[in-house]
Amino acid sequence: MILNQVIFSRKTQSRGFEEDKVSEKPLRSLAKALSWRLIGTIDTLVVSYVLTGQIKLAASIASIDFITKLVLYFFHERIWNKIKWGK
């Protein structure tokens, strides 16, 4: 019930599009992308090491994964920030 009130509260819904549009700046998207990628890269490094048994190969896989998914996540966030649905 409380979660329902938080999600559907009028305060949250009463914000205008202009306020929402500026609430998520590119720098914030970049910070979120970096923090998420650090978590994801550690996971990839551990999984790659468990599967291969080679730390050098696991680090190579994690490095490539870090860069490609960081770029993809950043653009994913920027595109979703432009979509009005659910705001």
Side-chain angles (χ1 to χ4, degrees):
M1 180 72 175
I2 293 173
L3 180 60
N4 208 13
Q5 290 172 345
V6 171
I7 292 172
F8 297 109
S9 75
R10 293 205 181 262
K11 276 188 175 180
T12 303
Q13 290 180 350
S14 67
R15 294 186 309 183
F17 176 69
E18 287 301 315
E19 185 180 341
D20 281 343
K21 188 170 80 170
V22 297
S23 67
E24 187 78 10
K25 296 185 179 184
L27 186 58
R28 179 178 163 84
S29 293
L30 182 59
K32 286 168 60 178
L34 283 170
S35 67
W36 178 244
R37 279 320 315 145
L38 287 174
I39 294 167
T41 299
I42 291 168
D43 176 61
T44 300
L45 179 66
V46 170
V47 170
S48 297
Y49 179 71
V50 168
L51 292 175
T52 66
Q54 300 176 29
I55 192 66
K56 191 175 179 179
L57 179 58
S60 295
I61 293 168
S63 298
I64 292 167
D65 181 70
F66 178 86
I67 293 168
T68 58
K69 288 187 180 166
L70 175 69
V71 171
L72 289 171
Y73 182 86
F74 176 81
F75 287 108
H76 177 264
E77 280 287 303
R78 299 312 306 153
I79 290 167
W80 268 101
N81 198 43
K82 293 182 184 298
I83 297 171
K84 294 178 186 179
W85 177 80
K87 287 188 174 189

